[in-house]
Each structure stands twice: as C-alpha cells, then as structure tokens.
Amino acid sequence: MTNHSLTEDQALARASEQVTATLAGKRAKGVVQGFFDEPTNTATFVVHDPRTRATVVIDSVLDFDPAAGAISYEAADKVIAYIRENDLSVEWILETHVHADHLSAAPYLQQQLGGRLGIGRGILQVQNEFGKLFNAGTDFARTGEEFDRLFDDGDSFMIGDVEATVLHVPGHTSADLAYVIGDAAFVGDTLFMPDYGTARADFPGGDARQLFRSIRRLLALPDDTRLLLCHDYKAPGRDSFVYETTVAAQRAGNVHVRDGTAEDDFVSMRTARDRTLKAPRLIMPSIQVNMRGGRLPEPEENGTRYLKIPLSPTSRS
C-alpha cells in the first residue's frame, strides 16, 4: 500500500499510532534478530512475522578486502543460514540509505532468498551526485532502476501481519529512511547509542540542520519505541557493542541531541566535529557499489571489474 498524499506530520502520526497499537497488543509484532559485523561496525537486522514467516532484511553487509580487491560472503551467509534454519520467507531487502562504510550484500541475498530491493527515493539525488564524482558515464542510468521500490515519506507496507511505515529522515545523506516496523524503528545512521551521539552530516547531500530536525522527528515517536541502529562504535568506557535503545533513552541521555538541545547548538557542534573526522575506510568502494543497489560496476573490455578512486587536484608551491 502506498500513501504519497500524506504530509510529514500525518506520516509521523501514522507511525506513532502503529507503535502504540503494537505495544498494546492490538497489532502484530515482528521478531527482530540482529547480526553485528565488527569489521565495519554494522548491524544487519532480520525482522519476521511469527505467524506467516514473512521477512525483511535491513542493511546487509558484503565482506570486502580493499587491499586484495576481494569480496566474500561470510556476513551475508550468516543471515541466510538464520533465515533458512527458521523457515522464513524474505519479501523485502531494504537499505536505510546509501552506505559509505560497507558494501551492501542485497543482490546476493536476493539471488539466494528472493525478495524485493527497496530504498528511499532520495537515491536519485545520490546517484546524480556520486555518478558525477566517479564519472560513471551514460551507462549508469541514475533512475533508481537497480531497486524494485523507491519509498516516499509516509509509504506503508505489510510484512505478513506486521505493519510498516516509512519516514524520510535526511541529514546524514539526502536518502536516509527510517522503517517503523511494528513497535521498532530501524533508523540507519541518524542516531547512535545515547553515549555516542549522532551521525556525521558532511557527506554530499548531508546537512546538520536537517539531521537535527530528522532526529527530533524520530524522537517524537512514543517513548517505548524500540530504536534499532545501523552502527555501534563502543563509546569510551563501554566494552560491548550495543545497537538497540529506545526513544525515551535517547531523549534523556543522547550526548549530542537530548531534550533541551538547541538546534543552533547542535549544528555548531556537528559541523565542528565533522571537520575532525576522517573519511570512512571503505567510502570509495562502498558508494560506487551501493549507489548501484549493491551491484559491482560492469566489467570493462578485458572482462575485469574496476572500482575508481578520484584524486583531488593538487598544486605545487
């Protein structure tokens, strides 16, 4: 079901009502299983309806060794094994955004398990921005055709009996989505654990002020909404990886954006902090692959696939 006519506030109201009804036992609740990939600090989630076994996979990981130029499937195969062992039926393979820190395994999962690939309609802007950066040429269509569904804010769909609502939460990138599934919101890179803070906003299409507003929108969901995060980096003093929290915990304790944080203060903090951050280790291969829906670039005339590294202009003194 699609709801393109919903306003932003209507979409949020629908998601909030969905969470409240699920917490009250009036609607079906999904079973959530997380898989954490320590090399990329990424959490992949499998959510299924316990009655119908209908399933969605969110933010999958493809193993990549940049020094060897080699890909492998260890992380994805763990997800596949879990799905097969539990007799689950994959209907959707979703991305919260075009990741810059890991390669997506979505096409591999689709080949093994079926399902439709989905991402936010903002992928069109990302493809345009990065298609130019990597000189992708006319063969790269920039139409989002690599995906089966481009979601808009307020769209809804079902995973068996479990209701899902889509919220557009740009700021980290222009294409970020949160998938509110039952009583759980899968928020991608917008938020980290309360002791670690928030995502950077300095990538092309990112915007710190927009990120603040997207986060406050998410934190307007009911307090008991479960928030499932795409990454964890173990804040100082914490020894374990954690990637689930709640709206209430974020509002009370997020070190960057707790209740009472002024928008201008957040923008100043985020902008200054982002200036100190290095580019993610896998940003160049990740974006080239992920803007294509997880597909590798087409082979060149010698039959080999190549990933590009654009060089910044330099000047001589």
Side-chain angles (χ1 to χ4, degrees):
M1 183 168 77
T2 305
N3 301 281
H4 299 295
S5 62
L6 291 180
T7 67
E8 181 174 293
D9 287 345
Q10 287 173 326
L12 178 61
R14 163 174 278 172
S16 297
E17 191 274 333
Q18 171 193 307
V19 170
T20 299
T22 303
L23 289 170
K26 297 177 181 178
R27 298 188 192 171
K29 179 177 179 178
V31 176
V32 179
Q33 178 65 49
F35 296 83
F36 193 76
D37 181 64
E38 191 167 343
T40 63
N41 296 92
T42 302
T44 296
F45 296 101
V46 177
V47 190
H48 77 268
D49 170 25
R51 186 185 73 83
T52 67
R53 319 305 285 176
T55 300
V56 59
V57 181
I58 303 172
D59 291 337
S60 61
V61 174
L62 183 70
D63 299 291
F64 178 67
D65 179 351
I71 61 172
S72 56
Y73 304 98
E74 182 179 354
D77 283 340
K78 291 177 182 177
V79 173
I80 291 169
Y82 170 82
I83 287 170
R84 288 177 172 164
E85 288 167 5
N86 289 278
D87 194 28
L88 305 182
S89 177
V90 173
E91 295 190 352
W92 289 100
I93 301 168
L94 303 177
E95 304 287 355
T96 54
H97 64 295
V98 174
H99 307 276
D101 39 31
H102 70 273
L103 280 65
S104 169
Y108 176 69
L109 292 176
Q110 187 179 43
Q111 180 185 44
Q112 297 293 316
L113 301 169
R116 304 173 66 194
L117 305 187
I119 198 168
R121 191 170 297 278
I123 183 63
L124 303 179
Q125 181 178 340
V126 173
Q127 287 181 333
N128 187 54
E129 291 165 348
F130 286 103
K132 294 175 182 176
L133 176 64
F134 292 109
N135 197 28
T138 57
D139 289 341
F140 180 45
R142 300 170 175 82
T143 60
E145 62 190 31
E146 299 85 355
F147 298 88
D148 300 303
R149 175 76 178 271
L150 303 183
F151 288 102
D152 292 293
D153 187 61
D155 281 355
S156 62
F157 59 100
M158 302 297 294
I159 306 163
D161 298 331
V162 181
E163 186 174 0
T165 300
V166 177
L167 298 179
H168 185 214
V169 287
H172 173 59
T173 76
S174 58
D176 284 64
L177 293 184
Y179 300 99
V180 184
I181 301 174
D183 66 339
F186 299 81
V187 301
D189 288 14
T190 52
L191 283 162
F192 299 136
M193 289 299 292
D195 58 2
Y196 201 87
T198 59
R200 65 195 300 167
D202 59 333
F203 295 147
D207 183 278
R209 193 169 299 278
Q210 199 172 46
L211 177 63
F212 178 87
R213 294 173 182 177
S214 291
I215 290 170
R216 296 312 306 180
R217 188 184 188 204
L218 286 171
L219 298 186
L221 290 166
D223 280 354
D224 290 336
T225 305
R226 300 164 64 191
L227 299 182
L228 286 301
L229 316 176
C230 190
H231 297 289
D232 186 56
Y233 301 96
K234 290 197 296 190
R238 176 158 54 84
D239 294 328
S240 59
F241 291 109
V242 186
Y243 39 89
E244 179 176 346
T245 180
T246 65
V247 165
Q250 292 282 9
R251 293 183 63 166
N254 188 287
V255 295
H256 292 168
V257 72
R258 64 168 62 93
D259 281 359
T261 302
E263 181 174 319
D264 286 345
D265 290 342
F266 173 84
V267 171
S268 296
M269 176 281 300
R270 188 70 265 170
T271 302
R273 181 177 174 84
D274 288 348
R275 291 195 190 104
T276 72
L277 300 178
K278 295 180 180 179
R281 183 176 66 95
L282 295 179
I283 186 171
M284 293 301 177
S286 294
I287 291 175
Q288 288 174 80
V289 170
N290 295 339
M291 72 180 184
R292 294 177 168 91
R295 294 169 179 83
L296 300 174
E298 289 298 316
E300 297 194 7
E301 64 274 5
N302 62 356
T304 301
R305 302 175 191 269
Y306 292 91
L307 295 167
K308 299 178 179 179
I309 300 178
L311 300 179
S312 300
T314 58
S315 60
R316 295 185 178 183
S317 56

